Every structure is written in C-alpha cells, then in structure tokens.
C-alpha cells in the first residue's frame, strides 16, 4: 500500500537498533544523563507489521490510537511542568511562540488554553516534536521520504470545579463548569495542508496525551471516515479570515480573538459540532445520523492518537476534576512548497499564505525555510537532510537539566 511503501523490504530489527535518545544526544555522558527523559523506546520497538496496521486504520477510519505509550510517565510529568512556565510567559529561549491563547490573570479561566509552536520557546518541547525517531515513524507510516514539522500545539483543559488544586500545591479559584473547554470540529488541512503543495497526503497529526484522558474529561472525538468526504474548507477559511481581521482592531487576550476560527475555540458545548453538521449535510448526512459516525477516543497518559489531515475532529468539555493536557505535533512531507496559485486572499509578492504561515514565506519564493519548518527526518534516498541545528538545539535541554 502507498502509505507504507517505505516499510517494504525493511528488516523489523533495524527499527530496534537505535534509541530515540541516542539520535538526539551525541555523547555517551549525555546519553546516560537523559535515559528515560525523551521519546519512549516503544517508538523503536514497533515492528513493520505494527506500523502497517496503524497505517491501514489511519487510512480507513481517519485516525488511530497507539496500543503502547510513546512517552513515559516521567516525560509527561516534565512536559506538564513546562506548560506552567509557557503560559506564564517564561520562555527559556527568549523567543515567543507563534500563538499564545490564555494569559494568567487576564483571560477567562475556563477556556481551552493553547500555545502554538512552543518548540521555538522551549528546548524540552523541541526535544519531543523534533525527535528523529518520531520523524522516522511518521515517514514510514505515511510513505514520505522526508518529514518536516509544520507546528506544535500545547493544549490544556482545566478541571471542572470551583476550587482548582494546582500541581504546585496551591489553590486557584476557578469557576469552570466545563462549558467553554470545548474545541470545535475542524479539519487540520484547512489551517495547514491548504498552505502548501502538493496538497494530497501532505500533513498528519500526532497527538500525545499527557494525562489519562476520558470521555468526561474531553477526549478527542472523530467523525469516522470523514476524511473521505468531499473537501469543505470554505467556511473554515472564511471564519479564519474574519478572525484575522478582528485581530487588527482587537487587543483582547481572550482565546477567541486570535487567528484560529471561532469554531475552533467554541464558546459552549452546544455549538462545537456545528461545522461538522454543515459538512455532513453537504454529503447528504442528516443531523440525526451524525452521532452514528462519532467515535470518542479516551487514551492513557503517554499514548498517541494519529489522525489524517482531512478527518473532522474536535473535543467536548472537560467535566472532570482533573486536568486534561496534550502535546500535539503536526508534520508535513519534506518536499512541500508554499502554494503558488493566487486566491482572493493573495496579497502582494507573498502570495496566498495564511496569517501564521504567511509570515514565514520568502519574498518572491515558494521555498519552505528550515528555520521555521525544520526537517525532522529524511530517508537515505531523499533529496532532503535532517536539519543540521536540531541536535545542538535539543541538547540545550539536557544541559539545562545539568545546571539544576
């Protein structure tokens, strides 16, 4: 099958020979200090058959959850600790992320908190999303010769209770009733894949659970096989454009005043499936039949859920007494270029790119810059190579740990 063409003829033992940590850390001393700190060795323990089965389910249903954890409990705990720093604006590298939705003391406490491209601000986040073994897994799963990072997301849904017991032992008054902690149904391709060419099969999402995630804590939901519906990006792009226009005249720091569409940061539990209903109606599926398509995907800490660029997905409110946090990595095939066609949104020589991705488009060029879309992995026969500065940058995380 095309999505697994890189698997054919490859020894299953070859995937077990290298630890994810050894790819990132060059010296034996660093390797020993970082043991168990990065991507769980289960990534390398997957056999060819395991990856083929994951790829088949991904192509059939549009999503698949891993049977084993990709991140260990210690890694998840460390990453969650980094969330607190990021949302307080404590950026280790001194570089701001691309989007920052939620400010302590300013934003509503019950909205879904999100930061995009925190890998630029945190070498810890970078050590996960830029991991070479994870990139190789994506390459094999998707049949790509090389893999770029499009963006990461850190997502945080706070508990549904009036007094929130913080992980540092303190208390925080929180009126969250779970209503606003939804994520509206959307297709990732409307925000990512449409910016690049070729379009087909050009991106995929890997979603890491940092807590045990249950149905009542707002787990991911999918409209099964909806990635095979005719594309319906129009309304999402309209919403996205409206939000961008509003940003020019609105300095409010609430999560609904940023570049993602209003449907993404849905305001209540009754509306987060609205765009899904519109898309289903376009293919002749009535509202009373939509629930038959929906599949909720509860997962344990450290496990990953992988989904297709065109599958419709979202998540309901966190009605639990526990935090629900996730680290998300969106990957692109390595040989993509910015779109060269002209749309109504096109503006000057920078073409038709969106608010976020357009800022990284070069004048008069459709080339994708590795400074902002680094190549995480490349097969030996690829024309691309793993971006040279990644290993030095991610080693910074382990150096910081030694200073503590």
């Amino acid at each position: 099958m095309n999505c697994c063409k890189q698997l054919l003829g490859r020894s299953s033992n070859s995937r077990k020979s290298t630890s994810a940590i050894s790819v990132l850390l060059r010296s034996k001393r660093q390797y020993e200090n970082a043991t168990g700190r990065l991507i769980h060795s289960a990534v390398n323990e997957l056999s060819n058959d395991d990856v083929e089965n994951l790829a088949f389910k991904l192509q059939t249903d549009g999503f698949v959850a891993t049977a084993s954890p990709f991140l260990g409990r210690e890694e998840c705990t460390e990453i969650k600790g980094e969330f607190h720093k990021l949302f307080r604006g404590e950026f280790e590298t001194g570089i701001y992320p691309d989007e920052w939705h939620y400010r302590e003391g300013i934003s509503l406490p019950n909205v879904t908190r999100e930061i995009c491209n925190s890998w630029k601000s945190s070498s810890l986040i970078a050590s996960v999303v830029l991991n070479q073994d994870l990139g190789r897994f994506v390459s094999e799963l998707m049949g790509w010769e090389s893999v770029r990072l499009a963006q990461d997301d850190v997502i945080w849904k706070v508990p549904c209770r009036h007094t929130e017991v913080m992980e540092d032992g303190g208390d925080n008054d929180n009126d969250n009733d779970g209503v606003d902690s939804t994520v509206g149904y959307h297709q990732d391709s409307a925000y990512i894949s449409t910016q690049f060419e070729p379009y087909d099969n050009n991106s995929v999402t890997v979603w890491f659970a940092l807590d045990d995630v249950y149905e009542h804590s707002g787990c991911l939901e999918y409209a099964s096989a909806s990635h095979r519906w005719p594309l319906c990006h129009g309304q999402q792009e309209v919403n996205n454009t409206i939000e961008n226009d509003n940003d020019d005249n609105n300095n409010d720091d609430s999560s609904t005043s940023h570049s993602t569409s209003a449907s993404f940061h849905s305001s209540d539990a009754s509306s987060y499936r609205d765009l899904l209903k519109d898309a289903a109606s376009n293919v002749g599926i009535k509202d009373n039949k939509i629930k038959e398509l929906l599949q909720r995907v509860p997962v344990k800490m450290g496990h990953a859920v992988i989904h297709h660029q065109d599958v419709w997905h979202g998540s309901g409110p966190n009605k639990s007494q526990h935090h629900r946090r996730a680290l998300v990595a969106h990957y692109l095939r390595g040989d993509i270029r910015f779109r060269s066609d002209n749309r109504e949104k096109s503006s000057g020589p920078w073409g038709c790119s969106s608010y976020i991705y357009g800022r990284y488009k070069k004048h008069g060029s459709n080339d994708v810059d590795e400074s902002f879309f680094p190549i995480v992995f490349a097969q030996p026969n690829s024309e691309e190579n793993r971006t040279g500065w990644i290993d030095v940058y991610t080693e910074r995380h382990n150096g910081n740990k030694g200073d503590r």
Side-chain angles (χ1 to χ4, degrees), residues 139-286:
S139 170
E140 295 174 343
L141 184 75
M142 302 300 292
W144 297 343
E145 291 185 357
S146 56
V147 179
R148 291 180 187 268
L149 180 68
Q151 70 174 64
D152 67 52
D153 292 274
V154 299
I155 305 290
W156 187 351
K157 295 187 178 188
V158 296
C160 172
R161 53 185 168 185
H162 292 290
T163 301
E164 177 183 348
V165 180
M166 303 301 289
E167 291 186 345
D168 60 7
D171 290 338
N172 181 39
D173 289 337
N174 179 14
D175 293 329
N176 179 24
D177 60 3
V179 171
D180 290 338
S181 61
T182 56
V183 173
Y185 265 77
H186 62 283
Q187 296 169 296
D188 290 344
S189 55
Y191 305 95
I192 300 172
S193 301
T194 54
Q195 308 304 311
F196 304 98
E197 55 185 15
Y199 172 87
D200 291 337
N201 191 41
N202 75 5
S203 74
V204 70
T205 297
V206 183
W207 190 98
F208 295 102
L210 301 178
D211 301 289
D212 291 341
V213 182
Y214 308 97
E215 290 191 13
H216 63 278
S217 64
C219 67
L220 284 170
E221 300 178 14
Y222 293 93
S224 184
S226 58
H227 61 301
R228 290 184 256 161
W229 296 355
L231 290 179
C232 182
H233 292 150
Q235 188 57 48
Q236 294 180 90
E237 291 186 355
V238 167
N239 287 347
N240 196 35
T241 302
I242 292 171
E243 287 296 312
N244 294 341
D245 292 340
N246 288 341
D247 280 348
D248 294 336
N249 301 303
N250 189 344
N251 293 321
D252 178 50
D253 278 325
S254 67
S255 291
T256 56
S257 64
H258 297 271
S259 64
T260 47
S261 74
S263 65
F264 187 89
H265 291 289
S266 181
S267 59
D268 60 62
S270 66
S271 64
Y272 76 100
R273 292 176 180 163
D274 283 356
L275 274 186
L276 171 64
K277 294 176 182 178
D278 293 341
S281 176
N282 288 339
V283 295
I285 299 174
K286 297 181 179 180

Side-chain angles (χ1 to χ4, degrees), residues 10-223:
R10 185 172 181 181
S11 168
S12 60
N13 291 332
S14 67
R15 304 197 79 255
K16 302 179 182 179
S17 61
T18 306
S19 167
I21 298 170
S22 66
V23 176
L24 288 173
L25 307 178
R26 297 305 186 184
S27 71
K28 181 178 180 181
R29 178 183 61 80
Q30 287 172 314
Y31 177 90
E32 291 172 346
N33 289 342
T35 300
R37 291 284 184 180
L38 300 176
I39 297 295
H40 193 278
S41 60
V43 172
N44 292 312
E45 294 171 358
L46 291 169
S47 69
N48 290 352
D49 286 344
D50 291 334
V51 179
E52 281 202 58
N53 289 336
L54 289 170
F56 178 78
K57 186 165 178 59
L58 178 64
Q59 295 300 319
T60 302
D61 297 335
F63 65 94
V64 60
T66 61
S68 300
F70 275 22
L71 293 170
R73 181 170 293 274
E74 188 174 1
E75 288 90 351
C76 291
T77 299
E78 187 175 10
I79 294 168
K80 288 185 290 188
E82 193 78 354
F83 274 32
H84 288 280
K85 298 176 184 177
L86 289 168
F87 282 102
R88 285 197 300 261
E90 298 175 11
F91 304 133
E92 167 211 336
T93 64
I95 298 174
Y96 273 60
D98 282 342
E99 295 185 80
W100 180 8
H101 306 317
Y102 177 78
R103 308 289 204 278
E104 284 191 359
I106 299 176
S107 303
L108 294 172
N110 52 335
V111 295
T112 298
R113 306 171 185 182
E114 179 190 26
I115 290 178
C116 298
N117 278 336
S118 59
W119 70 266
K120 300 175 182 179
S121 311
S122 165
S123 59
L124 170 58
I125 301 298
S127 71
V128 177
V129 300
L130 300 179
N131 181 274
Q132 182 163 286
D133 281 325
L134 182 58
R136 184 173 70 238
F137 165 73
V138 171
S139 170
E140 295 174 343
L141 184 75
M142 302 300 292
W144 297 343
E145 291 185 357
S146 56
V147 179
R148 291 180 187 268
L149 180 68
Q151 70 174 64
D152 67 52
D153 292 274
V154 299
I155 305 290
W156 187 351
K157 295 187 178 188
V158 296
C160 172
R161 53 185 168 185
H162 292 290
T163 301
E164 177 183 348
V165 180
M166 303 301 289
E167 291 186 345
D168 60 7
D171 290 338
N172 181 39
D173 289 337
N174 179 14
D175 293 329
N176 179 24
D177 60 3
V179 171
D180 290 338
S181 61
T182 56
V183 173
Y185 265 77
H186 62 283
Q187 296 169 296
D188 290 344
S189 55
Y191 305 95
I192 300 172
S193 301
T194 54
Q195 308 304 311
F196 304 98
E197 55 185 15
Y199 172 87
D200 291 337
N201 191 41
N202 75 5
S203 74
V204 70
T205 297
V206 183
W207 190 98
F208 295 102
L210 301 178
D211 301 289
D212 291 341
V213 182
Y214 308 97
E215 290 191 13
H216 63 278
S217 64
C219 67
L220 284 170
E221 300 178 14
Y222 293 93

Side-chain angles (χ1 to χ4, degrees), residues 96-99 120 259 338 350 353-362 372-373:
Y96 273 60
D98 282 342
E99 295 185 80
K120 300 175 182 179
S259 64
F338 279 106
W350 287 272
S353 299
S354 70
Y355 164 68
I356 292 298
Y357 290 90
R359 68 180 67 169
Y360 302 118
K361 193 174 188 302
K362 298 177 182 178
F372 311 110
F373 303 94

Side-chain angles (χ1 to χ4, degrees), residues 365-390:
S365 173
N366 293 321
D367 292 340
V368 178
D369 194 324
E370 290 181 42
S371 296
F372 311 110
F373 303 94
I375 297 175
V376 178
F377 174 79
Q379 296 281 358
N381 61 334
S382 172
E383 294 183 1
E384 289 80 27
N385 296 294
R386 176 170 163 86
T387 298
W389 51 259
I390 291 179

